[in-house]
Amino acid sequence: MKADLHTYLRGGRDALLWKLDGLGEYDVRRPLTPTATNLLGLVKHAAVWESRYFGIVFGRPFAEELPYADASAEPNADMWVTADETREEIVDLYRRACAHADATIEALALDATGVVPWWGDATVTLHAVLVHVVAETQRHAGHADIVRELIDGTAGLLPQLDNLPDVDDSWWRSHRRRVERSALDAGAR
């Protein structure tokens, strides 16, 4: 079961990082929702929480201080990247956080317990944390998929497995028009 959960976590990580491929600095940072969701911010956020859930919770603190994850940081500081932070720094941070998380996952049994301070000092198992982080990582990979599609139309799970129907651009345009028409008709009722 641990191997299965770890596989899904790795898959979410890969999907999240793939969404950065081929984009310039502006596009990886650009806020595309009213809450400023952006691709590189999602990676930064995922790095922070992997380092915390698989670090602090199990008494295996991440070696680096992350000031944007501190309780005194401004709200949402981990969800965007300043102009002074480079894409390479954030991606490397994510990879280091993932390596730290992987070491914790490999070292502990699924029934190993830890304490989550930001959940009111709740006692949890590695199993529960793995399920939580897999769900969150996959959720954020889904956010990234939508944001990337808004930027340049690139969609799908991974480059070698997009999980989309094998159709051409004209089919997608027609499909979108059909969905829009249905929404307009339903809204007019």
Side-chain angles (χ1 to χ4, degrees), residues 66-81:
L66 305 176
Y68 35 82
D70 189 89
S72 64
E74 72 175 67
N76 252 21
D78 65 325
M79 292 292 292
W80 67 286
V81 179

Side-chain angles (χ1 to χ4, degrees), residues 50-52 54-65 100 104:
E50 283 221 27
S51 74
R52 293 173 67 87
F54 296 107
I56 294 168
V57 169
F58 295 101
R60 301 168 59 93
F62 189 56
E64 301 171 48
E65 292 218 16
H100 181 77
T104 297

